[in-house]
Amino acid sequence: MTTHTMIDEARKTAFQVLVQAEQGGRINDVLHNALAGTTLTNQERRFITELVLGTTRMQGRLDSDLAACYRGRYAHMEKDVRQLLRLGAYQLRYMDSVPPHAALSTTVELARAVNLTRAAGLINGVLRELTRQPPITTPPMDASVGELALAYSHPKWLVERWLDRWGREKTIALMEWNNRRPAVWFRQRKDEAQQKRLADLAAAKKISLQRHPILEESLTAVPSPAPLLEPEVLNEGLFIVQDPSSGAVVRAVDPQPGEVIIDLCAGPGGKTAALADCVGPEGRILAYEIDPDRVRQINSTLNRLRLENVDLYPGDATTQALPKADKLLIDVPCSGTGVLARRADLRWRRQPEHLAEMTTLQMSLLVHAAHHLPPEGTLIYATCSLEPEENWELVHAFQRDHPEFYIVPMPESVPREWLDRDGALSTFPPDHQVDGLFAVRLRVQ
């Protein structure tokens, strides 16, 4: 099989992932399932991932550019044809590694390969017209909200919120961060033998492991993390794929050997695994998760890491009775505006009304957890949101109804640079170069 043919198969896989995700799946989950169990090379996996996530991130901008090149009602176009056009347009506009003639001809060939031959002429015409459009430029400083939203491919309502709160410079910095390919970070295991095995493996694969400047348990791989993501390496269970900001939330929990810790919204399982590693075989993590897909992900992660000190409880965490524990982490479902770079489709799935729905659920979970916290226990409330309604505003509203709860200072191990003036863990991606997360510690008097 030639490289050209293999890359065309990669484009076909990328197209199928985009189509399936548009039908309702999370893009990361659909992509993971499409790549799992295949014999694809690292080069092909990287190409497919770039096509899928890049096309999804820039969807707003691509749709605007394509609509201007289409003599018809773009919004009424057949969905699969539109996905093909987005895929071709992303290669034309954002991938310097793909020559324009290749982006155009392979997209037309792909149309025939996925039974859209009738649309091949239309796709050819629209993409050819796109190649004649001016190159992408940075919008002027006095650009309107709508122009900024289009230029940086974000929903207008979200840009409007951020401009009101942070102003133009900070909002643009955040949107630029969200449009980058996120760095892959690894959390090394506590066991020194596993750390040595990881270092030896990295050396054998001619990659350098570099520690995060603030969180020494977080590592990145240079020049590429790909060799560590190969199935035979992953299955050795030597590390957890985890952003340093999530590692800081684990530090906020301050897990100690032998402790029992409840993880109330455990999916997808990265923090659960890190907590289990920290409390050791004498400790126990009681993990609760309602989403069946997330439950499967947690089980897969625990099996890969060979962690046997986690009890997993599928079901609704707002109604289940909780046993006594030393600490209780509640990493609530949220808007996810701190991780839009990592979750490429989230910016398009969220709507303004979702914020109110989220805060209602978050308060319900927090109140339920608080009722099960023993007097000597600590509750850690965390989100991956940058929105005040889901962070301090919600915590303050909770304290107004439950004045017996007070804020506890973060452990010394949590980076002081990542704390806000009121003592919460609060990271802003462009400033701290990590995902945006929020966490506070609460105790009852």
Side-chain angles (χ1 to χ4, degrees):
M1 186 180 289
T2 66
T3 302
H4 178 71
T5 306
M6 286 191 294
I7 292 298
D8 285 347
E9 284 300 313
R11 286 185 172 92
K12 187 176 178 181
T13 301
F15 168 72
Q16 290 165 338
V17 169
L18 288 168
V19 168
Q20 194 177 341
E22 191 174 24
Q23 292 167 353
R26 295 187 186 99
I27 196 82
N28 288 348
D29 292 348
V30 177
L31 178 60
H32 173 79
N33 292 337
L35 299 182
T38 66
T39 56
L40 294 164
T41 65
N42 282 334
Q43 180 191 6
E44 291 167 320
R45 288 170 184 272
R46 283 198 298 273
F47 187 69
I48 293 168
T49 301
E50 174 66 26
L51 282 179
V52 168
L53 301 185
T55 300
T56 305
R57 284 190 198 98
M58 303 314 296
Q59 178 181 312
R61 175 62 191 257
L62 295 172
D63 281 346
S64 173
D65 291 351
L66 288 166
C69 298
Y70 177 57
R71 296 176 184 174
R73 301 173 74 179
Y74 182 76
H76 291 185
M77 184 182 285
E78 187 180 344
K79 287 182 178 179
D80 289 0
V81 175
R82 191 163 56 221
Q83 284 294 9
L84 268 179
L85 280 170
R86 287 171 180 161
L87 202 56
Y90 181 73
Q91 294 167 71
L92 282 171
R93 300 294 257 177
Y94 294 101
M95 291 185 74
D96 294 339
S97 60
V98 181
H101 66 86
L104 204 153
S105 63
T106 55
T107 307
V108 173
E109 287 171 16
L110 183 56
R112 297 190 177 102
V114 297
N115 297 321
L116 290 172
T117 303
R118 65 186 182 284
L122 182 150
I123 288 167
N124 184 53
V126 172
L127 292 183
R128 280 194 186 282
E129 179 59 28
L130 188 62
T131 62
R132 291 190 278 269
Q133 298 300 307
I136 294 172
T137 57
T138 304
M141 280 308 290
D142 61 348
S144 67
V145 175
E147 288 170 333
L148 287 174
L150 268 184
Y152 293 99
S153 197
H154 277 65
K156 185 179 175 184
W157 70 270
L158 202 51
V159 179
E160 208 155 26
R161 277 179 66 88
W162 291 348
L163 284 171
D164 286 345
R165 189 173 351 136
W166 295 317
R168 187 165 293 253
E169 189 175 334
K170 205 166 178 178
T171 298
I172 289 175
L174 179 58
M175 291 192 290
E176 288 177 337
W177 173 275
N178 291 340
N179 287 344
R180 292 178 194 162
R181 189 186 306 129
V184 177
W185 288 93
F186 306 98
R187 179 192 180 92
Q188 65 180 13
R189 302 290 300 272
K190 300 287 285 185
D191 182 81
E192 291 184 2
Q194 289 178 311
Q195 293 177 15
K196 182 175 185 310
R197 171 65 181 156
L198 177 59
D200 291 344
L201 258 177
K205 291 184 175 293
K206 301 187 185 312
I207 56 177
S208 168
L209 292 178
Q210 298 184 357
R211 293 188 185 279
H212 188 272
I214 298 177
L215 260 72
E216 65 269 16
E217 66 269 32
S218 293
L219 309 170
T220 190
V222 177
S224 167
L228 295 184
L229 298 174
E230 293 169 356
E232 64 272 21
V233 179
L234 273 176
N235 290 336
E236 287 205 38
L238 302 173
F239 55 81
I240 301 161
V241 179
Q242 184 177 74
D243 187 77
S245 59
S246 293
V249 173
V250 174
R251 287 193 180 192
V253 178
D254 194 24
Q256 299 298 318
E259 284 188 332
V260 176
I261 298 175
I262 292 175
D263 186 358
L264 201 52
C265 303
K271 297 187 191 76
T272 309
L275 291 170
D277 202 35
C278 290
V279 300
E282 303 303 317
R284 205 89 199 150
I285 305 301
L286 313 178
Y288 295 77
E289 177 54 51
I290 190 172
D291 185 329
D293 289 336
R294 295 295 192 204
V295 170
R296 282 191 285 275
Q297 287 180 8
I298 297 169
N299 267 322
S300 172
T301 298
L302 297 177
N303 289 335
R304 181 177 70 79
L305 297 167
R306 298 168 187 80
L307 286 165
E308 297 179 347
N309 58 343
V310 177
D311 297 326
L312 185 52
Y313 299 96
D316 186 352
T318 61
T319 57
Q320 296 191 58
L322 304 175
K324 186 177 178 182
D326 299 295
K327 288 160 185 164
L328 198 157
L329 170 63
I330 172 173
D331 188 2
V332 293
C334 68
S335 63
T337 53
V339 291
L340 294 185
R342 213 168 282 288
R343 298 178 62 184
D345 55 340
L346 204 53
R347 71 184 75 177
W348 308 119
R349 289 168 51 201
R350 289 284 179 257
Q351 300 298 324
E353 61 271 21
H354 290 162
L355 208 51
E357 296 168 10
M358 288 286 181
T359 54
T360 299
L361 174 61
Q362 289 155 5
M363 184 61 82
S364 171
L365 285 162
L366 180 54
V367 169
H368 181 69
H371 285 159
H372 289 85
L373 188 70
E376 67 278 13
T378 304
L379 189 157
I380 298 89
Y381 172 85
T383 77
C384 55
S385 169
L386 303 174
E387 311 311 309
E389 295 94 325
E390 300 178 278
N391 297 335
W392 270 124
E393 287 183 17
L394 189 130
V395 172
H396 288 152
F398 168 77
Q399 285 185 296
R400 280 195 293 276
D401 292 338
H402 302 82
E404 68 276 22
F405 280 85
Y406 63 100
I407 302 293
V408 184
M410 286 287 168
E412 288 299 320
S413 61
V414 177
R416 302 295 99 175
E417 304 93 317
W418 293 357
L419 300 184
D420 67 13
R421 63 184 179 184
D422 296 314
L425 171 64
S426 180
T427 52
F428 186 72
D431 291 349
H432 302 110
Q433 300 291 298
V434 294
D435 291 345
L437 293 182
F438 172 88
V440 294
R441 290 163 57 91
L442 292 157
R443 279 189 190 146
V444 63
Q445 293 177 346

